[in-house]
Amino acid sequence: MTQVSQISSDKYCTLENEPYMSDGQLAYFKDKLMQRKDELRNRISKSIKKIKTLEAAQADLLDRSNAYMDLTLEVKSFERHSDMIEQVDYALARIDDGSFGYCELTGDEIGLRRLEAVPFATMSIKALEA
């Protein structure tokens, strides 16, 4: 009987002698990335709704200033989440082309712990430090 890698909702648990970026690991990270993408889409949707409801035509100067600041924060949030979706899409493409989990600069393994924390990471800690 073959043992299958265990996937918990919190993190991936490797089996003894399981190769790096096995089918189970790739499936786990693909699912994790898809969940992150859905979460980001929801946040973007909320930002868009909030941007549409912010009123810039306030009579009071202080109220206008506060509305402008709120609008600026929501636009930055929208941009940040949009950029993250691009990173997630790039990670999903890397899963498809077989380069996911490996540093773009050195070709070394990024590592499961780092990918668990940042599933769209493209560089190893070693490469980042250099």
Side-chain angles (χ1 to χ4, degrees):
M1 185 187 319
T2 334
Q3 272 192 321
V4 178
S5 302
Q6 297 177 7
I7 300 176
S8 71
S9 60
D10 292 349
K11 64 189 267 186
Y12 188 84
C13 300
T14 58
L15 294 175
E16 192 175 321
N17 298 324
E18 182 178 20
Y20 184 70
M21 289 298 112
S22 66
D23 289 342
Q25 291 171 4
L26 290 172
Y28 169 77
F29 284 112
K30 186 172 187 171
D31 184 56
K32 188 174 182 96
L33 287 162
M34 293 302 290
Q35 287 177 11
R36 176 73 62 99
K37 189 173 178 176
D38 288 342
E39 175 186 315
L40 290 167
R41 282 183 178 155
N42 287 336
R43 288 182 181 181
I44 285 173
S45 179
K46 287 178 185 177
S47 287
I48 290 170
K49 286 178 185 174
K50 192 167 182 180
I51 289 168
K52 287 180 178 180
T53 61
L54 289 173
E55 278 210 36
Q58 302 284 334
D60 183 55
L61 184 61
L62 186 58
D63 289 341
R64 262 188 288 173
S65 176
N66 286 338
Y68 180 74
M69 291 297 290
D70 288 345
L71 179 63
T72 302
L73 290 173
E74 282 305 318
V75 169
K76 286 183 181 184
S77 176
F78 172 85
E79 290 171 345
R80 185 176 65 251
H81 292 128
S82 294
D83 289 345
M84 286 180 75
I85 283 181
E86 288 180 24
Q87 292 174 339
V88 168
D89 285 339
Y90 184 62
L92 290 167
R94 286 175 49 107
I95 287 175
D96 291 341
D97 73 17
S99 62
F100 180 82
Y102 296 93
C103 180
E104 288 187 330
L105 293 178
T106 64
D108 295 337
E109 295 178 358
I110 291 174
L112 294 177
R113 287 180 59 198
R114 176 153 168 72
L115 289 171
E116 191 67 49
V118 185
F120 46 83
T122 59
M123 294 180 15
S124 65
I125 295 290
K126 185 179 174 184
L128 286 172
E129 290 173 347

